[in-house]
Amino acid sequence: VQLVESGGGLVQPGGSLRLSCAASGFTFSSYDMSWYRQAPGKERELVARIRSAGGSTDYADSVKGRFTISRDNTKNTVWLQMNSLKPEDTAVYYCNMHFFRDYWGQGTQVTVSS
């Protein structure tokens, strides 16, 4: 299993970023995919999850209405569109797949600051 995130960076409050996660080494279309984040000094938290067929999603209350998770099972890719970013969204964002254990990407840094 390999998960490779990209798309992080520095953005001003109110701005947008789109994170990508390219997956390989497993049957992507068969598994739910998630985005987590971890801010300095805090525990890793679930941000969003999308079911294997892509029809059902869940979001943390803190990002509802601002973030959108999506996937393309033909491209083995999951995205996280982040709008109206706030300084408290600053964190390392990780792509995740769970099959008997958690699999993680290397993470991508998102910094929201003026």
Side-chain angles (χ1 to χ4, degrees):
V1 174
Q2 187 172 20
L3 303 171
V4 180
E5 302 99 333
S6 61
L10 172 63
V11 62
Q12 292 186 343
S16 298
L17 282 174
R18 190 191 196 202
L19 306 183
S20 299
C21 172
S24 61
F26 63 103
T27 305
F28 180 78
S29 60
S30 296
Y31 296 93
D32 299 349
M33 296 296 297
S34 302
W35 284 97
Y36 283 73
R37 68 185 180 186
Q38 188 166 21
K42 295 189 177 181
E43 292 187 355
R44 195 169 296 191
E45 63 174 352
L46 176 66
V47 175
R49 174 169 292 142
I50 187 166
R51 300 296 182 259
S52 57
S56 177
T57 56
D58 299 297
Y59 296 93
D61 287 343
S62 59
V63 306
K64 281 181 181 177
R66 300 188 297 123
F67 290 12
T68 303
I69 188 171
S70 60
R71 67 189 293 161
D72 186 334
N73 287 342
T74 67
K75 297 180 179 180
N76 287 6
T77 302
V78 59
W79 295 276
L80 184 68
Q81 177 67 44
M82 306 186 295
N83 299 329
S84 302
L85 283 161
K86 304 176 182 180
E88 51 263 44
D89 295 318
T90 295
V92 178
Y93 284 70
Y94 296 93
C95 185
N96 169 273
M97 186 274 278
H98 183 88
F99 180 65
F100 291 110
R101 52 154 284 194
D102 283 311
Y103 293 88
W104 302 98
Q106 82 286 354
T108 186
Q109 176 71 48
V110 172
T111 303
V112 185
S113 175
S114 55

